[in-house]
Amino acid sequence: MTQQVKPLPPRHQQLLNWLQPWLSRDFQALTQVAGDASFRCYYRLHATENTQGNSLIVMDAPPEKESSDAFLHLAQVWHREGIAVPKVLDSCARQGFALLEDFGDLQLMQAVAGQKPQEADPFYRQALRQLAEIQDSDPLQTQQLPDYDAPLLKREMALFDDWLLGDFLQLNNRDRPARWKAFQQELVNQALIQPKTRVHRDYHSRNLMVTDGEQLGILDFQDAVYGPLTYDAVSLIRDCYLAWPQNWQQTWLNCFYDLTRPPVTLDEYRHWFDWMGMQRHLKAAGIFARLWLRDGKAGYLADLPRTLDHLTQALQNYPDWADINLWLRQEVQPRLQERLQLLKDTPKQDD
């Protein structure tokens, strides 16, 4: 008896149909590669053995879940500017498919894992030079990006309140300091007084790929905005996925300050850098909790303690907010450790 072939899921069949012009020439195998924290999926399109072509990356972004328009537009604009983003070889925004240059699988995070700061330093200086190129852009193009305004900054911090404090740690409003909202408002104020530039918005070691020749390629730029000039620098230097010594953080901050020459003193820039980092770490911690609670992605839970450590270390520089730092250290961080230990001891059961 002939065994029936199980039909492919409709979305996968749709993708193969779109890829037919490529599959019928110098490419054959299609394998899934690691994705990210979004609904997007990625595949590697392998060249046939008898060709000298390179592999390509296929992006599958279901249009009912997220639009590909911003990614495709920015990829083309930034690539023309010489920024190290992948070249788009083919695309269909209506279906949510794109065929991209392949930057490989080695993230900067993986490349520097276990290295001493001085060994990672060349990569970080290269990443900071590339970031300076992103900021040195055509003002007309930059100002067409969405504005990183007060409502967006507040929505991001609400992720911390709703998903981490509320749903994950079960801390309600009365468990929060009297000045908690005032602290969040100050974070917004400090972001909005900064000069604005083009902001990648997720410029960190998981979105920088080490390509051939140890050159860095930049991914995940579709959420770019027009916003505070310190945002991307603090995303990289105070990465949620890595913890470098404070003296090396300062070295790289000084390096970026020298590269970009912002219209403020180094001390003023460092102050903005601290406050922008605290806003970002509130946002990231909320997202990590949401990825677990809503999407069942547990991999980011291990990054929560480091993310809060970045927050509390920065707050130590501002004694006027000692009550907030004390609450984070004595209430939030211990409760987080208890919750993570409980999850470790009693892993989530499948339905």
Side-chain angles (χ1 to χ4, degrees):
M1 180 180 292
T2 303
Q3 186 177 8
Q4 288 189 335
V5 177
K6 186 177 180 181
L8 291 170
R11 181 67 181 172
H12 195 71
Q13 186 62 63
Q14 185 182 4
L15 174 61
L16 291 177
N17 292 342
W18 181 75
L19 281 173
Q20 274 308 308
W22 294 87
L23 291 170
S24 62
R25 40 195 192 195
D26 296 335
F27 298 89
Q28 52 178 7
L30 189 69
T31 58
Q32 190 160 3
V33 296
D36 53 26
S38 73
F39 294 105
R40 292 184 296 274
C41 295
Y42 297 91
Y43 302 88
R44 177 163 284 115
L45 188 60
H46 298 269
T48 57
E49 293 182 1
N50 60 349
T51 68
Q52 299 300 315
N54 296 320
S55 61
L56 301 174
I57 291 295
V58 182
M59 184 182 77
D60 174 7
E64 71 276 8
K65 293 184 177 178
E66 55 185 275
S67 171
S68 301
D69 293 345
F71 174 86
L72 294 172
H73 172 70
L74 291 174
Q76 291 161 357
V77 171
W78 291 18
H79 192 270
R80 284 199 302 267
E81 291 183 27
I83 297 171
V85 297
K87 182 178 180 180
V88 179
L89 287 87
D90 200 355
S91 65
C92 178
R94 180 179 58 82
Q95 296 184 81
F97 299 137
L99 197 59
L100 313 170
E101 179 182 1
D102 189 355
F103 281 170
D105 295 316
L106 182 60
Q107 298 170 336
L108 175 60
M109 178 183 71
Q110 297 165 327
V112 301
Q115 286 191 348
K116 296 178 180 178
Q118 54 267 35
E119 295 170 321
D121 182 57
F123 279 127
Y124 273 78
R125 290 181 183 271
Q126 182 186 162
L128 292 169
R129 287 194 299 272
Q130 290 184 335
L131 180 55
E133 292 175 2
I134 290 175
Q135 292 195 355
D136 184 21
S137 60
D138 179 354
L140 181 61
Q141 189 275 329
T142 297
Q143 291 171 24
Q144 292 173 350
L145 293 170
D147 192 21
Y148 211 164
D149 56 13
L152 178 54
L153 290 160
K154 291 178 180 179
R155 285 198 302 273
E156 289 180 340
M157 289 187 291
L159 297 169
F160 185 88
D161 290 351
D162 297 339
W163 289 95
L164 185 78
L165 295 182
D167 292 344
F168 193 67
L169 299 183
Q170 299 295 305
L171 289 167
N172 56 39
N173 288 332
R174 67 175 178 273
D175 297 321
R176 299 167 198 180
R179 294 207 302 161
W180 179 239
K181 289 299 181 184
F183 172 66
Q184 291 181 315
Q185 182 59 51
E186 184 62 16
L187 290 170
V188 172
N189 296 343
Q190 292 293 331
L192 294 180
I193 62 175
Q194 298 182 35
K196 289 188 174 184
T197 187
R198 181 161 56 180
V199 176
H200 177 291
R201 206 174 162 209
D202 230 0
Y203 197 81
H204 56 67
S205 63
R206 294 182 70 145
N207 287 333
L208 297 174
M209 308 302 292
V210 181
T211 66
D212 293 341
E214 297 194 334
Q215 295 301 300
L216 295 177
I218 303 168
L219 301 179
D220 212 16
F221 45 83
Q222 64 280 346
D223 294 324
V225 292
Y226 182 53
L229 83 169
T230 62
Y231 190 93
D232 285 334
V234 78
S235 299
L236 176 69
I237 295 170
R238 291 186 183 157
D239 197 330
C240 297
Y241 310 106
L242 295 167
W244 297 108
Q246 292 288 323
N247 63 318
W248 277 95
Q249 292 182 29
Q250 186 62 50
T251 294
W252 291 326
L253 186 155
N254 293 351
C255 171
F256 191 65
Y257 179 84
D258 290 339
L259 284 169
T260 56
R261 286 295 171 187
V264 291
T265 67
L266 179 58
D267 285 342
E268 290 172 306
Y269 188 86
R270 188 186 299 115
H271 175 91
W272 285 346
F273 182 91
D274 279 344
W275 282 85
M276 195 73 258
M278 289 188 280
Q279 189 276 342
R280 175 172 169 78
H281 291 127
L282 288 179
K283 163 192 169 180
I287 289 174
F288 294 159
R290 184 178 68 182
L291 284 167
W292 163 244
L293 294 168
R294 187 190 69 183
D295 305 327
K297 296 182 179 182
Y300 296 88
L301 292 178
D303 303 307
L304 274 168
R306 184 186 309 105
T307 302
L308 290 189
D309 280 343
H310 283 314
L311 171 62
T312 55
Q313 286 173 8
L315 257 178
Q316 289 184 121
N317 298 326
Y318 304 95
D320 288 350
W321 297 95
D323 55 326
I324 302 298
N325 203 17
L326 186 67
W327 171 70
L328 289 167
R329 288 180 176 275
Q330 293 189 353
E331 299 293 334
V332 176
Q333 288 179 302
R335 196 176 184 103
L336 173 63
Q337 291 295 346
E338 291 173 5
R339 182 78 170 102
L340 294 176
Q341 187 61 49
L342 181 62
L343 286 173
K344 184 178 178 181
D345 293 340
T346 56
K348 186 176 181 179
Q349 299 297 314
D350 292 334
D351 292 337

